[in-house]
Amino acid sequence: MILLIIGLILALVGRTLKNKNEDLSNVGNGLFWSGLVLGMFGLLWSSVKQIDAGKIGVQSLFGKVQNQVLPSGLNLINPLMDVLELDIKTQNYTMSGVHDEGNKDGDDAIRVLTADGLEVTIDLTVLYSLIPSEAPRLVRETGVDYQNKIIRPLTRTKMRDNAVYFTAIDLYSTKRDVFQSKIFKSIEEDFKKRGLILEQLLVRNITLPATVKASIE
């Protein structure tokens, strides 16, 4: 777009010099044709957009998000379009109590209350991806910070909502897989409504209160 603007300016200056000053007619003529060629090149350049492998392009025109998604490769577009590239490969979001292990610094583990009124700490990793056809709606409704607006808060809420149906011992041992499956189904449905695919949910570590842990060791 910059080349197009510069080309138009040069063409305008050249035409002005050509019409108003005969002595500078040749200079003006050269500027005019140079600007015209540069502008045409800029127009062509702005009309082609390359999308990297594993990504898609979401177009917007003067702030209005378009429904058509650009696939990876070379695409012909309206030169006035802004294109936002989004990753459609599998991504992960980790919430952990170990420093520098999760997406946020410090202790970011999920603390939940169980059916027996105990607080259990859970480290979790969410594997997810974007639904390409739903990307424009996701950008329109949520923006590009969907990790902090959807992934993180929704997952933490569902963890707490479902933990109350299990005792601390259940979560730690006998019903851990049942708990994980229950959360997966609950989150999967909500993710899909928002244009995301939940691929896997990994409960990486469950920490019991010290008194309970001592009683089972």
Side-chain angles (χ1 to χ4, degrees):
M1 185 59 70
I2 267 297
L3 291 178
L4 175 59
I5 294 173
I6 293 175
L8 290 176
I9 292 174
L10 287 177
L12 182 61
V13 170
R15 185 171 183 177
T16 301
L17 288 176
K18 182 180 177 181
N19 292 337
K20 290 189 175 182
N21 193 324
E22 292 185 3
D23 294 335
L24 296 177
S25 177
N26 289 336
V27 175
N29 195 50
L31 283 176
F32 175 78
W33 286 108
S34 296
L36 199 61
V37 171
L38 186 61
M40 292 297 292
F41 180 78
L43 180 63
L44 180 62
W45 183 266
S46 300
S47 299
V48 177
K49 177 65 179 178
Q50 178 180 328
I51 305 297
D52 294 335
K55 295 185 177 181
I56 57 170
V58 175
Q59 305 175 87
S60 64
L61 182 62
F62 305 123
K64 184 177 181 181
V65 178
Q66 309 296 302
N67 290 324
Q68 182 185 3
V69 174
L70 302 179
S72 60
L74 292 178
N75 297 270
L76 289 175
I77 64 170
N78 181 335
L80 297 178
M81 287 283 187
D82 289 322
V83 179
L84 173 67
E85 288 192 41
L86 295 178
D87 198 331
I88 57 173
K89 299 187 296 293
T90 298
Q91 302 176 64
N92 73 79
Y93 191 90
T94 296
M95 290 162 277
S96 172
V98 179
H99 182 69
D100 289 339
E101 187 177 64
N103 285 65
K104 288 187 175 292
D105 292 334
D107 185 355
D108 193 39
I110 306 170
R111 288 166 176 78
V112 302
L113 286 178
T114 59
D116 43 357
L118 298 174
E119 184 180 81
V120 172
T121 303
I122 301 174
D123 292 350
L124 183 75
T125 293
V126 181
L127 299 178
Y128 70 95
S129 59
L130 274 66
I131 302 174
S133 61
E134 294 293 319
R137 181 170 65 87
L138 179 65
V139 171
R140 193 180 297 118
E141 296 177 355
T142 307
V144 296
D145 191 20
Y146 43 83
Q147 281 195 339
N148 288 317
K149 293 181 178 179
I150 297 177
I151 307 295
R152 176 182 166 81
L154 182 59
T155 300
R156 296 175 79 89
T157 297
K158 293 297 183 181
M159 291 286 286
R160 295 186 178 110
D161 289 347
N162 285 282
V164 297
Y165 297 105
F166 300 85
T167 66
I169 298 298
D170 286 342
L171 292 181
Y172 187 77
S173 57
T174 58
K175 295 186 178 180
R176 180 169 176 164
D177 290 342
V178 176
F179 173 61
Q180 185 167 298
S181 178
K182 188 178 179 67
I183 298 170
F184 183 93
K185 291 178 181 178
S186 178
I187 297 176
E188 181 182 35
E189 184 178 346
D190 280 353
F191 270 25
K192 191 173 182 179
K193 291 177 181 177
R194 291 166 171 79
L196 300 167
I197 298 173
L198 176 62
E199 297 186 2
Q200 198 170 2
L201 197 68
L202 303 174
V203 176
R204 303 169 63 249
N205 185 51
I206 295 179
T207 305
L208 298 174
T211 52
V212 178
K213 188 175 181 180
S215 68
I216 62 175
E217 291 179 344

